[in-house]
Amino acid sequence: MSETIRILIADDHEVIHNGIVDILKSFNNFRICCHAYTGKEAIQQALAIKPDVIFMDISMPELNGIEATRLIRQENTHSKIIALTQYEENEYVLQFLAAGGNGYLLKNSKKGEFKDAIEAVMNNQRYLSYELSHNLLNSVISKEVQDGEQKKVHLTRREI
């Protein structure tokens, strides 16, 4: 991936903007092209500039990141949107992905996860941070067992 990837950071905290800039500056092909501090600003920037990747906080003033993602997605199918949030509950993850998000990172993610997430979504794949995918998978498995929906696999005599 040698082409420069333009990134919008949408978060209401300056320290997060600075942290992402710091994390991504060591990667030559990532460039921060714009910043937004509210959900409405995120929509305006996303539609006007059409960045390649948007890091979207879930909790922002004026409009939350899930709703902003939904509205951006209606007009802009180009940009890949990755949640960058503190919310690790499955409901948030599922709502964000249903709104058109492409990936989901926690704010305590390691530097390498940022790179992995960007590369995955740019290759039209979904990305969930390791911790979230582990939690989501465990909750699905637990639900299957609790609901008694665990299905037995029936093997034929030949398969046995």
Side-chain angles (χ1 to χ4, degrees):
M1 193 172 287
S2 59
E3 191 175 308
T4 299
I5 296 170
R6 298 171 313 119
I7 298 169
L8 159 63
I9 303 170
D11 195 290
D12 57 329
H13 294 98
E14 184 72 31
V15 70
I16 298 299
H17 288 259
N18 294 337
I20 295 171
V21 167
D22 228 31
I23 287 170
L24 297 181
K25 70 182 178 187
S26 64
F27 302 108
N28 294 331
N29 57 331
F30 301 150
R31 182 177 65 83
I32 307 303
C33 66
C34 43
H35 297 265
Y37 295 88
T38 70
K40 286 184 180 178
E41 283 181 9
I43 293 168
Q44 291 167 350
Q45 296 280 1
L47 298 182
I49 297 172
K50 292 189 176 29
D52 299 307
V53 173
I54 301 168
F55 280 110
M56 179 76 71
D57 189 14
I58 298 292
S59 177
M60 285 190 292
E62 296 180 4
L63 195 64
N64 72 53
I66 293 171
E67 198 54 39
T69 296
R70 183 175 287 111
L71 294 170
I72 290 168
R73 191 54 70 218
Q74 290 173 2
E75 302 289 324
N76 175 351
T77 57
H78 166 77
S79 297
K80 308 299 184 186
I81 307 173
I82 302 170
L84 181 61
T85 183
Q86 65 186 7
Y87 299 110
E88 56 187 271
E89 293 81 8
N90 293 341
E91 298 81 38
Y92 287 105
V93 177
L94 298 174
Q95 284 179 35
F96 182 79
L97 296 175
N102 304 94
Y104 202 101
L105 281 178
L106 296 176
K107 286 186 175 177
N108 65 356
S109 295
K110 304 274 189 255
K111 180 179 181 177
E113 271 204 280
F114 281 84
K115 181 179 185 283
D116 292 346
I118 293 168
E119 289 177 350
V121 299
M122 290 303 294
N123 286 314
N124 296 315
Q125 300 170 353
R126 299 250 185 184
Y127 186 89
L128 292 180
S129 69
Y130 173 76
E131 185 179 337
L132 287 174
S133 59
H134 181 74
N135 292 345
L136 195 58
L137 182 59
N138 282 339
S139 71
V140 168
I141 291 168
S142 295
K143 183 174 177 7
E144 290 289 317
V145 171
Q146 285 175 356
D147 291 347
E149 294 178 13
Q150 191 174 17
K151 301 204 178 359
K152 291 186 178 185
V153 177
H154 296 286
L155 300 175
T156 65
R157 176 175 256 168
R158 183 174 178 203
E159 289 171 328
I160 292 171

